[in-house]
Amino acid sequence: MIIGHKRQTEYFEKVLSKGALAHAYLFFGPERVGKRAFAREIAKSLLCEKRKKRVESCQACPSCERAEGGRHENITVLSVSETLVSKKEERKDIPIEDIRELKRMLSFAPAGDAWRIVIIDGAERLSTPAANAFLKILEEPPERVLFLLTTSEPEHVLVTIRSRVQGVYFSLVRSDDIREFLVQESIPKARHDEILAVAAGRAGVAVLAVQEKSEFEEEKKFLEDVKNALGAGAPLFFPFTERAASDEETRVRAVREVLRILERRMQEEGDFGRALAIAKKVKNVVRITDVMVQTNVNPRMSLDLIFMEGAGV
């Protein structure tokens, strides 16, 4: 199900109706807004046996059933946790071994004129050798192959890859669209405001509230922990930043939440001078984050500095 993103849906339906589909797209925007779900729906619609030229599949034909179950032979998904040949427990990025295997798979002609769709979820996690190897595939793309890349950090996707794909921006989803989804899923109205507050425009978080309740509760608690740490200020937030800094995924989530809080406060601020001061804090957080990602600087120290920027705003 696609929640919101009507502009993107209309765009792709025009492209499909004209037969003008590009060979590669980069879906970028905030985390968990539905980029991967949209990519999967594009893949399903291209392979659906009953519907044509729509960003909507029938959900019932054998092709759609295989795609929905993650078993379709013409859909390949790569991410840090989804692999072709490398060992999952050893993955912190998408390694070159998987891109080599992808190239080998694409060297064989498809059955008939069927599309083959490759989804790379988290394209910023391609290792440097993997990114360079994938670039060579993009430079001479096989026929009837569609590449759909997703990222919440487009600035960390290899520049030469970005230059060879068509970018499509996915923004936060309107609360009305998420509320409509909750009604369709028969979620009690008493829970709507809570889910909307935690989701904050991220449709994927609302889906967690329906399908993965434990993950939704974990997300809710994590956001509360970040908010409380910022509200407490230094040195009271040090225990939280120490725990968060020890795990890369938690550290990234914490930074994104601080940025989200700052950006929301900046947008809501009525005083121009105050809004400008918050904008400078956002810029500082981005700068510190880039240094933390690209160098061997102490991640705990970096996270402390980021929380100092966000505290008391």
Side-chain angles (χ1 to χ4, degrees), residues 134-190:
F134 180 65
L135 177 63
K136 293 180 180 179
I137 298 176
L138 284 180
E139 289 172 341
E140 298 181 11
E143 292 186 6
R144 304 290 286 180
V145 175
L146 174 65
F147 296 99
L148 299 174
L149 286 64
T150 76
T151 182
S152 56
E153 302 175 33
E155 67 277 7
H156 294 142
V157 176
L158 193 68
V159 173
T160 43
I161 287 180
R162 298 204 310 260
S163 69
R164 286 171 172 77
V165 300
Q166 187 165 323
V168 180
Y169 178 67
F170 285 73
S171 61
L172 295 171
V173 176
R174 296 186 315 137
S175 294
D176 288 348
D177 291 329
I178 295 178
R179 195 183 297 275
E180 181 181 346
F181 162 73
L182 297 176
V183 170
Q184 291 174 355
E185 295 295 324
S186 301
I187 300 300
K189 288 186 178 181

Side-chain angles (χ1 to χ4, degrees), residues 21 31 85 112 125 142 149 163 187 205 217 226 240 244 269 272 302:
L21 198 65
E31 190 178 31
V85 293
R125 302 297 292 274
L149 286 64
S163 69
I187 300 300
V205 175
E217 291 300 324
V226 173
F240 175 82
E269 179 58 57
F272 177 77
S302 298

Side-chain angles (χ1 to χ4, degrees), residues 71-84:
R71 304 184 309 275
H72 203 292
E73 64 280 5
N74 282 11
I75 301 176
T76 301
V77 181
L78 268 178
S79 70
V80 170
S81 60
E82 292 157 299
T83 174
L84 292 179

Side-chain angles (χ1 to χ4, degrees), residues 60-254:
C61 70
S63 176
C64 286
E65 289 180 354
R66 294 199 305 280
E68 187 65 25
R71 304 184 309 275
H72 203 292
E73 64 280 5
N74 282 11
I75 301 176
T76 301
V77 181
L78 268 178
S79 70
V80 170
S81 60
E82 292 157 299
T83 174
L84 292 179
V85 293
S86 57
K87 296 180 180 180
K88 291 183 180 180
E89 61 270 22
E90 297 178 356
R91 294 165 66 97
K92 291 186 178 180
D93 54 23
I94 301 173
I96 190 171
E97 289 83 4
D98 280 345
I99 301 303
R100 287 171 176 162
E101 175 63 11
L102 176 66
K103 182 178 180 180
R104 187 194 70 81
M105 292 167 57
L106 295 178
S107 67
F108 299 102
D113 62 349
W115 279 95
R116 288 178 290 178
I117 298 93
V118 177
I119 299 173
I120 300 183
D121 188 29
E124 77 283 355
R125 302 297 292 274
L126 285 163
S127 69
T128 299
N132 287 324
F134 180 65
L135 177 63
K136 293 180 180 179
I137 298 176
L138 284 180
E139 289 172 341
E140 298 181 11
E143 292 186 6
R144 304 290 286 180
V145 175
L146 174 65
F147 296 99
L148 299 174
L149 286 64
T150 76
T151 182
S152 56
E153 302 175 33
E155 67 277 7
H156 294 142
V157 176
L158 193 68
V159 173
T160 43
I161 287 180
R162 298 204 310 260
S163 69
R164 286 171 172 77
V165 300
Q166 187 165 323
V168 180
Y169 178 67
F170 285 73
S171 61
L172 295 171
V173 176
R174 296 186 315 137
S175 294
D176 288 348
D177 291 329
I178 295 178
R179 195 183 297 275
E180 181 181 346
F181 162 73
L182 297 176
V183 170
Q184 291 174 355
E185 295 295 324
S186 301
I187 300 300
K189 288 186 178 181
R191 292 201 62 210
H192 287 193
D193 288 344
E194 172 204 4
I195 294 172
L196 288 170
V198 176
R202 298 172 298 163
V205 175
V207 172
L208 288 181
V210 176
Q211 299 179 358
E212 302 289 345
K213 295 181 181 179
S214 62
E215 289 189 35
F216 175 80
E217 291 300 324
E218 191 277 332
E219 176 73 7
K220 178 182 175 182
K221 183 181 183 305
F222 182 79
L223 299 187
E224 289 174 349
D225 288 346
V226 173
K227 182 178 179 181
N228 291 337
L230 289 176
L236 296 179
F237 64 57
F238 288 160
F240 175 82
T241 54
E242 182 178 12
R243 293 194 306 272
S246 64
D247 177 74
E248 182 180 4
E249 182 179 351
T250 304
R251 188 166 66 241
V252 170
R253 288 175 65 197

